Amino acid sequence: SQQGEEDPQALSIQEGENATMNCSYKTSINNLQWYRQNSGRGLVHLILIRSNEREKHSGRLRVTLDTSKKSSSLLITASRAADTASYFCATTAGFGNEKLTFGTGTRLTIIP
Amino acid sequence: NAGVTQTPKFRVLKTGQSMTLLCAQDMNHEYMYWYRQDPGMGLRLIHYSVGEGTTAKGEVPDGYNVSRLKKQNFLLGLESAAPSQTSVYFCASSPYTGTRVPEQYFGPGTRLTVT
């Protein structure tokens, strides 16, 4: 079963605007990661946030984590056409950190 | 470095046929994974391996077998293909890092159609 559910399923914004997508999960986690998938390609790791962290930044990316609500958000600022892709959250839980459970993804389209 | 490579890129099978998907990584990673991706479902873990000679079941292992005879290779086999196995298959690898959580590195995918 899917651990994470992304919201919205699809998002279209104008280039230069900010994009926010959310991920909710069901069980306690060790950490949460975000991945990007360009059409027809494999996934690429973007950022990781641990369960004891609340916010993390990497370039134009900002990730927040609220463990009390079992949710995370990914903000992409000043969007570019190259940001058009699907974005997935993935979590690890339990004793091992080797397995990821992926959400269903948000399809982001940046309109030039 | 080529990273993670997958062979073949595309394949069409008839129901009942068998095939093997090959994943290779040149990063000396301990962990390797096979996922399938279906529309609206995200990625689901089929099998994984935490080291040479080891394999373990993931979320959706039925109808698949795997082998990790060499550290750099992870094979996914379909013994008797079914239309429900039509999907895009991704291989991934990650390093062993002790307590640090590793990111996964993905291959480009194999698009499999079973008719």
Side-chain angles (χ1 to χ4, degrees):
Chain A
S1 61
Q2 301 293 142
Q3 163 75 308
E5 295 286 338
E6 273 94 338
D7 171 53
Q9 289 187 334
L11 177 63
S12 292
I13 61 172
Q14 295 289 332
E15 190 169 19
E17 293 180 339
N18 295 342
T20 299
M21 54 204 86
N22 304 296
C23 168
S24 60
Y25 55 90
K26 299 173 184 175
T27 62
S28 296
I29 61 172
N30 296 334
N31 65 82
L32 186 143
Q33 303 180 33
W34 284 90
Y35 285 78
R36 183 188 74 231
Q37 183 181 33
N38 291 92
S39 181
R41 308 290 289 272
L43 279 71
V44 175
H45 180 265
L46 294 176
I47 194 167
L48 177 151
I49 187 165
R50 299 182 188 279
S51 59
N52 61 354
E53 297 175 317
R54 292 297 167 257
E55 188 170 311
K56 206 119 178 244
H57 296 255
S58 177
R60 294 185 295 113
L61 305 180
R62 181 172 78 96
V63 171
T64 62
L65 179 64
D66 187 335
T67 53
S68 67
K69 296 181 179 179
K70 292 187 171 59
S71 68
S72 173
S73 67
L74 172 68
L75 168 67
I76 303 174
T77 60
S79 63
R80 305 167 181 170
D83 295 328
T84 294
S86 292
Y87 292 82
F88 295 88
C89 67
T91 57
T92 62
F95 294 107
N97 283 324
E98 69 276 6
K99 290 195 295 180
L100 288 175
T101 302
F102 284 86
T104 52
T106 291
R107 174 68 188 166
L108 175 64
T109 301
I110 307 300
I111 304 166
Chain B
N1 287 350
V4 180
T5 58
Q6 294 182 230
T7 308
K9 290 185 170 55
F10 303 93
R11 185 72 185 267
V12 178
L13 286 180
K14 294 185 178 179
T15 298
Q17 287 184 322
S18 63
M19 77 163 296
T20 300
L21 281 67
L22 171 64
C23 175
Q25 53 93 5
D26 61 2
M27 297 173 283
N28 201 35
H29 285 172
E30 292 292 334
Y31 302 154
M32 296 188 75
Y33 312 82
W34 276 107
Y35 295 91
R36 60 177 289 172
Q37 185 177 33
D38 302 295
M41 296 289 291
L43 274 76
R44 292 182 293 170
L45 183 63
I46 304 172
H47 286 281
Y48 66 102
S49 168
V50 298
E52 181 179 321
T54 74
T55 62
K57 295 180 180 180
E59 181 186 351
V60 288
D62 294 342
Y64 305 95
N65 57 76
V66 288
S67 64
R68 182 105 182 265
L69 299 179
K70 294 183 179 180
K71 186 177 183 179
Q72 63 268 34
N73 296 337
F74 196 28
L75 279 63
L76 178 70
L78 287 73
E79 290 187 348
S80 180
S84 60
Q85 294 178 304
T86 293
S87 188
V88 181
Y89 291 85
F90 288 98
C91 176
S93 71
S94 64
Y96 173 73
T97 58
T99 57
R100 187 174 72 82
V101 178
E103 65 184 81
Q104 293 188 13
Y105 297 78
F106 282 80
T110 295
R111 185 173 296 275
L112 175 66
T113 302
V114 183
T115 61

